Amino acid sequence: MTHVRPTVESLEHRDLPAAFESLPVLPVGDPTVVDTARAIVARGAALGRSTDVFMKVGDSNSAPGFGAGYLFPLGAPGYDPVSAGLAAYPGLLDTLAAYRIPAGATGTNSFARASAVAVAGARAASLLDGLAAEADTTGAGIALVMVGTNDLTVGRDLAGFRADLRELVRRLAVAGVVPVLSTIPDDLAFGGTHTALVPGYNQVVADVAAECHVPLWNAWRSLSALPNHGLDALGLHLAASPRPGGVGAADLLYGQNLRTLEALQILDWFREQVVAPAPAAVPPLPWVPLASGEAVVAVGRGEGQAPVVSVYNAAGAEVNRFLAFDPAFAGGVRVATADVTGDGVADIVAGAGSGGAPAVKVFSGADGAEVASFFAFDPSFRGGVNVAAADLDGDGVAEVVAGAGVGGGPVIAVYHGGDFAEVMRFFAYEPSFRGGVNVAAGDVSGVGPAIVTGVGAGGGPVVKAFRLGDATPVLSYLAYAPPDRTGVVVAVADLDGNGAGEVVTAPAAAEPHVRVVDPSTSVERSSFFAPGGGFGLDLGVLRAAGRDVLLIGTGTGAETRTWAFDGSATAPFGYTLD
């Protein structure tokens, strides 16, 4: 199971969304948000993003013209921060200087750039298709997002706006860009026709930020206290002072000027709290030997975190915790459990996460000793490696299966249990594809011992199964609709207790739709949306007696929820990992 160490809530417990009016203006004080942002930054680093570049996302308030007073003056060659009033905020001067450096292919700095996804009249849905291109052009690692005023004006219903905003967050996060969601200002135009609708849209913004654990900038709260709510005479656009880039006391009575100062404060928070070195790794625990045949599951911290692995027993108690790689490595770690040494005890297989070489290590469940260490692919590759383990040749010892991470071809390598000799290497998908490949392994219903693959990021949602020694798939199907290109995570779990596993899939970074399919009959046994969701799911299996238990990790960051599904119900239930 490869997501970060979870904190779990029962299915019945739901936190009521906080009223947006009460939320702070700046995103401070929430370690979960910081951890999520760190994970996205780690993903962005592998994609060439820079944390010293930001992109603007929104409508006319963020575009040239009515939005000219927002940040644009700070990028002008003659801008003098001292005369503009920034001397009163000396801690922001370094942040200003960092983002004034020309970046990406644009040749302009982040302040001065007219963003292709900050467009007059834009709505959330209309911005989606341009996000990846703007991220690629600028190399931005963070996005300042204010959108919703035009959704409100044209009557986009709240459910639709919520879906659009979730997708906007998802696309930015998958692209390695941290989305900062801003509430929108009041709308006093057209005789105040839309004023009463603003709170509903702002509550959606706050809810989506909380759901996805991304930073919230509650601009509405500070803007609403200004004269005319910080708006111009029309009552629709934010007003700018005669000194558009000024942040003196008189300037800050204007909406765009106050927003500019807050943007600098958020960028400074990002550099100090998110980009700064990750906190020290969680201390290891003294190794507790696992018993022969004991059912355990391993959980590895994700992107942006130290490579800490925790091992839990069937009761959900943490029995072991250790560092799989150098504690300075912050790409996280991907893990699997199976007896790969032949002593009857489950061992832990660890693969380096995003940004790391394709290093694989095996740790003995009996005493915690490292029993194997090797590179599954070219050591210069820095997309990490996905791992799985199961007995594929029937000798009672599990093989180790490795799949290239994002940025690599969809290559699979298989290593024999015990001696770790390579016994198979092949491409699961078109060799030219560079989204990597997700892997699982087990006794598959109607197939037997098999390697199951899910296409990596950017590929169609194709799932395949291969027998050891044969690169021709014995199973191939579309797990989701063809337009879905986020990648598919896979697992093999015997959820009906008949001795053979079903194939379980979930999108790597989309709506949390879990599907359980019996390959022997092609019948979908279960289909449900996991609670929470965030940026996709991760899957793990507790191979318990009778029937396996599927563990579903939701979210990104150091605090995620874990749900369990054992096939006996129609939906997952809360599972506590203490």
Side-chain angles (χ1 to χ4, degrees):
M1 198 171 184
T2 59
H3 59 78
V4 292
R5 182 176 186 269
T7 294
V8 182
E9 303 174 15
S10 68
L11 189 58
E12 289 74 25
H13 176 73
R14 294 291 180 90
D15 292 327
L16 294 176
F20 82 92
E21 296 94 338
S22 67
L23 296 174
V25 174
L26 302 177
V28 296
D30 189 339
T32 304
V33 169
V34 173
D35 285 333
T36 300
R38 285 184 186 276
I40 297 171
V41 166
R43 187 178 308 162
L47 297 172
R49 308 292 182 233
S50 170
T51 53
D52 281 341
V53 183
F54 69 85
M55 53 192 276
K56 310 181 189 91
V57 180
D59 51 32
S60 51
N61 272 318
S62 302
F66 287 107
Y70 170 59
L71 294 178
F72 288 93
L74 278 63
Y79 181 74
D80 179 6
V82 175
S83 63
L86 268 175
Y89 307 92
L92 299 181
L93 295 176
D94 285 346
T95 294
L96 173 71
Y99 290 102
R100 277 177 58 92
I101 298 172
T106 66
T108 57
N109 62 58
S110 298
F111 296 113
R113 175 166 169 76
S115 170
V117 286
V119 183
R123 306 192 299 274
S126 67
L127 296 171
L128 296 177
D129 289 342
L131 295 173
E134 181 71 5
D136 288 342
T137 299
T138 61
I142 181 172
L144 304 178
V145 182
M146 179 188 278
V147 65
T149 297
N150 293 307
D151 293 86
L152 178 156
T153 303
V154 302
R156 179 63 163 154
D157 64 280
L158 291 179
F161 177 58
R162 184 185 301 271
D164 296 339
L165 198 59
R166 281 175 175 162
E167 180 64 10
L168 186 149
V169 168
R170 186 195 69 78
R171 292 197 186 191
L172 285 171
V174 169
V177 182
V178 176
V180 179
L181 296 187
S182 171
T183 50
I184 61 174
D186 281 322
D187 184 344
L188 306 181
F190 314 113
T193 304
H194 301 124
T195 303
L197 300 177
V198 170
Y201 287 81
N202 275 338
Q203 190 62 54
V204 168
V205 174
D207 291 350
V208 170
E211 170 192 328
C212 298
H213 303 307
V214 297
L216 175 71
W217 174 6
N218 194 8
W220 174 90
R221 182 169 177 174
S222 53
L223 293 172
S224 63
L226 298 182
N228 202 41
H229 299 238
L231 301 169
D232 61 11
L234 182 63
L236 181 62
H237 299 101
L238 291 171
S241 83
R243 298 195 311 164
V247 292
D251 300 306
L252 296 180
L253 296 175
Y254 294 81
Q256 284 290 25
N257 297 70
L258 180 58
R259 186 178 172 218
T260 286
L261 176 62
E262 290 174 357
L264 280 174
Q265 291 171 328
I266 286 171
L267 292 169
D268 188 67
W269 165 86
F270 176 67
R271 297 178 73 234
E272 292 293 327
Q273 298 296 316
V274 177
V275 181
V282 180
L285 295 174
W287 193 266
V288 175
L290 304 180
S292 179
E294 181 179 4
V296 296
V297 64
V299 177
R301 287 190 174 233
E303 296 169 320
Q305 306 291 317
V308 175
V309 177
S310 294
V311 182
Y312 297 89
N313 63 21
E318 185 182 33
V319 293
N320 287 304
R321 184 196 307 139
F322 65 96
L323 281 163
F325 301 102
D326 188 314
F329 176 60
V333 57
R334 299 150 185 178
V335 292
T337 56
D339 177 16
V340 297
T341 57
D343 61 359
V345 177
D347 305 303
I348 297 90
V349 180
S354 179
V360 177
K361 292 187 177 184
V362 179
F363 298 87
S364 168
D367 59 13
E370 181 182 309
V371 296
S373 179
F374 56 90
F375 290 111
F377 311 111
D378 187 331
S380 65
F381 174 59
R382 285 296 182 269
V385 58
N386 302 310
V387 293
D391 182 8
L392 300 175
D393 60 8
D395 66 354
V397 183
E399 277 64 51
V400 173
V401 181
V406 174
V411 61
I412 303 288
V414 183
Y415 300 87
H416 184 257
D419 59 13
F420 305 105
E422 184 177 319
V423 294
M424 187 179 183
R425 184 175 291 255
F426 66 99
F427 287 102
Y429 303 97
E430 175 61 41
S432 61
F433 175 65
R434 284 294 179 269
V437 57
N438 299 311
V439 293
D443 194 346
V444 178
S445 179
V447 175
I451 302 156
V452 176
T453 66
V455 73
V462 179
V463 172
K464 294 182 179 181
F466 303 84
R467 293 191 179 99
L468 185 64
D470 188 353
T472 302
V474 292
L475 173 72
S476 181
Y477 68 96
L478 284 172
Y480 302 97
D484 185 353
R485 297 274 170 176
T486 69
V488 181
V489 294
V490 289
V492 177
D494 179 11
L495 298 174
D496 57 11
N498 69 351
E502 291 78 52
V503 174
V504 186
T505 61
E511 289 293 322
H513 184 191
V514 178
R515 294 187 67 211
V516 180
V517 174
D518 184 343
S520 66
T521 61
S522 299
V523 172
E524 181 178 80
R525 292 289 182 85
S526 299
S527 177
F528 56 85
F529 286 85
F535 308 120
L537 304 178
D538 200 1
L539 303 176
V541 180
L542 180 68
R543 303 206 180 279
R547 66 170 78 220
D548 293 340
V549 176
L550 176 73
L551 299 182
I552 306 163
T554 64
T556 304
E559 302 251 341
T560 68
R561 298 178 180 181
T562 295
W563 309 96
F565 180 72
D566 64 3
S568 63
T570 58
F573 53 86
Y575 188 82
T576 302
L577 300 183
D578 298 319

